[in-house]
Amino acid sequence: MSQIKFENVGLKYGEKVVTEGMNFEIQQGEIFVLVGPSGGGKTSTLKMINALVIPTDGYVYFEDKKIRDYDLQQLRLKIGYVLQQIALFPNMTVKQNIELIPELIGWDKEKCRERSQALLDKVGLPAEKYAGRFPRELSGGEQQRIGILRAIAAEPDLILMDEPFSALDPISRTALQDLILDIHAEFGTTIVFVTHDMNEAMKLGDRIAVVADGEIAQLGTPDELKNHPATDFVKSFFGAANFDQLTLKSLIEELELDREADPVWNKADVTAPIEQVYQELSQNESLAIYEGENFLGNIDRATVFRILAKK
């Protein structure tokens, strides 16, 4: 059953087109991932679901009702929201942060306490040890766990997640991806997840929408997109997810570095893993490549993606 529907949705800021002609549905109970380079329209698309951004064209529906026809406070209380910037209230304890939304919608104190305790125990942060702590006393990974628990505490109909793990170290990131899959398996809540990391999209998504330049380049299951890419862009984006053992140095002869140009602001060492380079180029158009202190030249996003697509 469709829970969210985009019908000819477009968004403009003056003359700038952010998204246009978006038509898709998100089914109840699925993990739906929006993936693509930074600036392509992913976050704006996500924010139109809870009316943080209002489309200039078309309609967004939630549970068969136009978003614009909802009382915004009531709508947002039905939707959990997790950001990259861990937005815990610093003067509230862990327990108070988790119980905030349940209290707002009228749960009694005992039900709130039972819920927060059960959730903390579920994610390996025992309530007797963590409930009374403040956010400043937690690691980044622990803070993001609490952010996720706060988003699901009131049993929302939908959870929106906007690049929630991109600022974390690889170990914390993997652990939290696994946590999302565990939570989804247990509660079956619909999750809309934004990322620029194709590996993360493939791990989490039941279906994936590849977003570029304000449009959906392709929508399908991970296998469909990987095995039957609709465009060269989709092919390059998915091809770049298959480079586990590659380093930048292993591709250096194929990269056609621009050795004459001045170094760009963003840089990488020639010994860097391709995964790291790919992450950087998902957010930046080009990188300056160094060997130690020696500038070797600049590489651009399109060249790297094209080479990786052949691997």
Side-chain angles (χ1 to χ4, degrees), residues 209-283:
V210 182
V211 181
D213 298 325
E215 299 180 341
I216 294 179
Q218 190 172 355
L219 192 162
T221 66
D223 284 345
E224 288 170 346
L225 270 65
K226 183 177 181 180
N227 296 323
H228 305 287
T231 68
D232 287 341
F233 174 79
V234 175
K235 181 179 179 181
S236 68
F237 215 70
F238 270 88
N242 300 308
F243 43 64
D244 294 344
Q245 305 303 319
L246 293 176
T247 65
L248 182 57
K249 193 169 187 176
S250 68
L251 297 180
I252 202 70
E253 293 184 0
E254 302 176 66
L255 286 176
E256 302 174 2
L257 297 178
D258 184 354
R259 302 175 189 274
E260 304 299 323
D262 292 330
V264 295
W265 178 258
N266 304 290
K267 64 182 182 179
D269 193 85
V270 72
T271 60
I274 286 295
E275 181 171 4
Q276 176 184 326
V277 175
Y278 168 71
Q279 295 292 341
E280 292 287 338
L281 286 169
S282 293
Q283 303 180 72

Side-chain angles (χ1 to χ4, degrees), residues 128-142:
E128 64 270 16
K129 183 177 179 181
Y130 285 90
R133 292 188 180 183
F134 288 90
R136 64 180 177 273
E137 300 175 281
L138 307 176
S139 69
E142 289 170 342

Side-chain angles (χ1 to χ4, degrees), residues 26-214:
I26 299 174
Q27 305 304 313
Q28 187 167 353
E30 76 173 329
I31 301 180
F32 187 91
V33 179
L34 296 159
V35 68
S38 294
K42 306 183 304 296
T43 292
S44 294
T45 300
L46 184 82
K47 289 181 175 179
M48 284 189 268
I49 296 173
N50 64 352
L52 287 174
V53 170
I54 307 300
T56 48
D57 298 293
Y59 301 101
V60 181
Y61 296 82
F62 177 60
E63 296 179 345
D64 297 324
K65 181 177 177 180
K66 291 177 182 175
I67 293 289
R68 69 179 190 179
D69 293 337
Y70 277 90
D71 174 89
L72 289 186
Q73 182 178 8
Q74 293 304 311
L75 172 70
R76 290 169 184 163
L77 287 174
K78 292 162 65 74
I79 299 175
Y81 197 22
V82 185
L83 302 169
Q84 176 184 337
Q85 299 78 18
I86 305 165
L88 300 178
F89 293 101
N91 296 323
M92 290 184 177
T93 65
V94 164
K95 178 179 182 293
Q96 289 168 334
N97 267 282
I98 295 172
E99 295 177 6
L100 179 64
I101 302 302
E103 286 184 355
L104 285 174
I105 63 176
W107 289 20
D108 63 55
K109 289 187 177 181
E110 181 60 20
K111 184 178 180 182
C112 288
R113 186 195 65 79
E114 290 177 356
R115 178 67 168 167
S116 64
Q117 180 171 320
L119 289 174
L120 283 168
D121 291 343
K122 181 178 296 295
V123 300
L125 301 175
E128 64 270 16
K129 183 177 179 181
Y130 285 90
R133 292 188 180 183
F134 288 90
R136 64 180 177 273
E137 300 175 281
L138 307 176
S139 69
E142 289 170 342
Q143 289 184 44
Q144 198 61 293
R145 284 174 185 260
I146 302 306
I148 293 168
L149 296 187
R150 187 176 64 182
I152 69 173
E155 301 173 355
D157 297 327
L158 170 69
I159 301 172
L160 306 179
M161 308 188 80
D162 189 5
E163 303 215 39
F165 310 144
S166 59
L168 300 176
D169 63 89
I171 293 175
S172 296
R173 184 172 188 149
T174 298
L176 287 168
Q177 291 168 353
D178 292 340
L179 173 62
I180 291 302
L181 292 173
D182 289 345
I183 288 171
H184 184 258
E186 180 167 353
F187 299 109
T189 309
T190 308
I191 298 173
V192 184
F193 193 102
V194 165
T195 182
H196 63 263
D197 183 339
M198 184 55 74
N199 288 300
E200 186 166 70
M202 293 174 71
K203 178 176 180 177
L204 295 179
D206 294 314
R207 288 190 302 148
I208 299 169
V210 182
V211 181
D213 298 325

